[in-house]
Amino acid sequence: MSDSENVRHGPVFTQEPSDSIFPMSTGDKLVFINCRAKGNPPPHYRWKVDGRDIDTDSDSSYSLAEGNLLINNPHFINHGGVYQCIATNAFGTIVSREAKVQFAFLQNFSRKPRNTVTVREGQAVVLLCGPPPHYGEMKYSWVFNGQRSFLQQDARRFISQRTGNLYVAKVEASDEGNYTCAVRNMMTNATVFSSPTPVVVRRDVVMGEYEPKIEVQFPDTLYVSKGSSVKLECFALGNPVPSISWRRADGNPLPGKIKINHSTGDLEIPYFRPEDAGVYECVAENSKGRNAARGQLIFQNVEHLQWTQILKDAHMAIDANLQWECKAIGKPKPRYRWLKNGQPLTAKERAHVDAGRLTISTIRLSDSGMYQCVAENEYGSLYASAELKVVASPPDFTHRPVKKSTVIQRGGEVVLECRPNASPRAMISWWRGGELLRNSKRQMILEDGTLRITNISKSDEGSYTCVARNHFGASSSTGSLVVKEPTRIIVPPLSSDASVGQSLVLPCEVSSDSSLSPVFKWFFNGKAIDFRRQEHFEMIGGGFSGDLMVRNIQLRHSGKYVCMVHTEVDTVSAASDLIVRGPPGAPEDPIVTGITETTVQLSWGSGPDNHSPITMYIVQARTPFSIGWQTVKTVPDSVPGQMMHATVKDLSPWVEYEFRVVAINSVGVGEPSMPSKQIRTKAAAPKVAPVNVSGGGGARGELVITWEPVPEEQQSGEEFGYLW
């Protein structure tokens, strides 16, 4: 069993009785009405019906099975009613919701013979069913001359499911015979039959034609709730047999979901909605005239009750003030009432009820018990329950003693808590040795009993005792206060700069109370440095020194460094900035314009200077004939760091070139930019003649001339050739 199950508490319903209709049938019958509650100690139960206590000892019809009520051989009249379950244990009593219990039954018809009905041919007739006592949904039918099948309804014959009566609009000769009303209980499935009603049709005088007369119609006003199904009956007597039609009196069309039985004239509206409300009209017509009947369907805006705020158990000290509130929503708007231990709670000197709000001031032990808030309207009720435990006890420091030892720095502030369990709340006083402490400039006893001392000095060291008293007794708890010298950083890290590849030490040295052991932590850009994983960082020193060594510094090590020192009594920190200088980053987006035979205009964007200003740029070029990148001549010869364009000169005509730019600062040469788009210089007349020209040999009359060809990169244009 868990601790929560071991806690002693009042009863709480886990199952409550609900509205029920039980079918009645012959033979022995046993009906259960459910009720179950948890509690420690386990609750015992009793029941009420229609407000009267049920005595299960003297009334053999009733018995209990745990909390459930058993009804033996129930009688549909004697045992129908409103039932309520009541659960009680040592902490109080709660009552369940009220449950309406009914029994579906159907008694037999009287066997008394029925009178003969004589009617003229062409006349209308109404045969009364006169059903016996019953409860539950009934279905009415008629049997003609003992036939196995029930009489079929049509435009001439109609059976009302409200009264069971049979209506014949115009009697024919074939209608003569015996008529028996059959009533079926839809819950018990029992069917009973009336004595036959003989009908004699007089043929000597035939009834003449006459205008319709509506004999069966729905109520003038009908309230309908959302989602329910509505069936409207309308039937007229007349000769000729009248036809039935429906319309809305406001001129709006009938809803498309409406079902009309054209043979009987019934109209059914399933799933009623607010827009279905209005005045409905049934019209009966024949050749002699018309007759109409109206009725209004009114939307009944009913919403089930539901809680939006319920009660919570309250364990409160004696003399405290209780405020409980419950809230429910529903239509119509709910009313509230309150119960204590199952009985109506009346406003008294200390108790005040305002709808769903209950307040009790200066609680006493006698106020302990089970309370219930009941929200109700015409269509139902909700019960919310909670337990009020009023606690009365002397002060007890067992679970929350004064802290045994509190260490604080000189000049700091200390808060010593005194929080005993006590009901009612204890009066608190503080003592140092044998001296009663009083409020002063530096020390103050707060309303909750906490002792606060500011600007602590060495003289404040010692033992402090909290004494707690209430009506039921007194108790005390003692703790000691130890004052230490504050920690100070005497050699802080200084903001500095370094070049990539160098190493440096950021110092952090403290002075602290000799009895304390400071713990050093370093943070880089807000994140704690993990010395086990970061090879560039190392903590050096020891004791009251925790210097940070940064080895082989890289650009990414620029940022803010914080040395944080923790001791048992305080925390101090110091910060510094480290700037790492490195060769410049790569220039951006070199663009070539102004292309001639031997020059181009080149421009670019500056890259990062990495904390050291760019002093100059150099331009490099690459052709299909060069080995890698070569530095080229520019105007100006040396491009200064603040200039981001230059003219590249002394290029070869009609050669494909790519260019890139390199930045230089005092730290070194940076990374080159990305290459520019490949371009070709314009063509020009060749400026280089063939070399090593010689002649000789050959046949008589011939001269063979030889030379070294001009290199392709010096041919200066297309269709290069030699002329002699």
Side-chain angles (χ1 to χ4, degrees), residues 7-9 312-317 324 387-391:
V7 173
R8 291 168 60 82
H9 65 89
K312 291 185 179 179
D313 290 345
H315 291 200
M316 303 190 72
W324 261 328
E387 179 181 358
L388 172 60
K389 266 186 183 170
V390 181
V391 184

Side-chain angles (χ1 to χ4, degrees), residues 306-326:
Q306 58 183 27
W307 290 119
T308 58
Q309 182 176 337
I310 58 173
L311 309 179
K312 291 185 179 179
D313 290 345
H315 291 200
M316 303 190 72
I318 200 166
D319 290 341
N321 297 323
L322 169 75
Q323 179 167 306
W324 261 328
E325 186 170 11
C326 62

Side-chain angles (χ1 to χ4, degrees), residues 120-123 170 205-211 238-240 288:
R120 289 183 290 171
E121 190 174 350
Q123 189 180 5
K170 172 192 167 190
V205 180
V206 176
M207 182 76 175
E209 294 184 348
Y210 61 94
E211 65 182 13
N239 188 1
K288 303 303 290 182

Side-chain angles (χ1 to χ4, degrees), residues 559-573:
K560 182 177 288 296
Y561 290 79
V562 176
C563 173
M564 186 173 287
V565 187
H566 298 276
T567 71
E568 187 182 345
V569 297
D570 55 5
T571 298
V572 292
S573 63

Side-chain angles (χ1 to χ4, degrees), residues 103-118:
F103 295 90
F105 68 93
L106 175 61
Q107 290 191 317
N108 287 317
F109 277 97
S110 164
R111 303 322 304 164
K112 182 181 176 181
R114 298 195 171 196
N115 296 331
T116 299
V117 176
T118 303

Side-chain angles (χ1 to χ4, degrees), residues 405-553:
S405 178
T406 302
V407 182
I408 195 73
Q409 64 175 352
R410 180 176 55 79
E413 176 181 305
V414 70
V415 172
L416 299 178
E417 289 188 334
C418 180
R419 299 173 62 199
N421 289 323
S423 179
R425 199 170 88 176
M427 299 292 292
I428 302 296
S429 60
W430 280 91
W431 298 72
R432 183 179 174 203
E435 178 191 355
L436 176 65
L437 298 183
R438 303 185 185 280
N439 286 336
S440 66
K441 188 175 182 181
R442 284 198 313 115
Q443 61 190 26
M444 180 180 298
I445 300 174
L446 305 181
E447 189 177 340
D448 64 357
T450 298
L451 173 62
R452 179 182 175 195
I453 308 174
T454 60
N455 193 16
I456 294 285
S457 68
K458 199 72 176 173
S459 63
D460 292 317
E461 278 192 336
S463 293
Y464 289 79
T465 300
C466 173
V467 178
R469 286 186 174 86
N470 69 7
H471 306 316
F472 300 98
S475 186
S476 65
S477 180
T478 301
S480 63
L481 178 63
V482 180
V483 179
K484 301 284 189 181
E485 286 299 311
T487 304
R488 293 184 299 111
I489 295 179
I490 56 175
V491 182
L494 300 176
S495 294
S496 53
D497 56 24
S499 296
V500 169
Q502 292 182 340
S503 297
L504 67 81
V505 174
L506 295 175
C508 188
E509 185 178 340
V510 299
S511 69
S512 184
D513 193 290
S514 59
S515 65
L516 300 177
S517 299
V519 177
F520 292 84
K521 285 186 179 179
W522 281 89
F523 295 83
F524 172 47
N525 288 339
K527 291 187 177 179
I529 296 175
D530 185 346
F531 291 98
R532 294 170 300 175
R533 295 189 176 185
Q534 301 197 22
E535 59 182 344
H536 292 274
F537 297 121
E538 181 185 352
M539 180 114 66
I540 59 176
F544 292 89
S545 177
D547 301 345
L548 176 66
M549 165 75 81
V550 188
R551 302 182 189 277
N552 188 17
I553 291 173

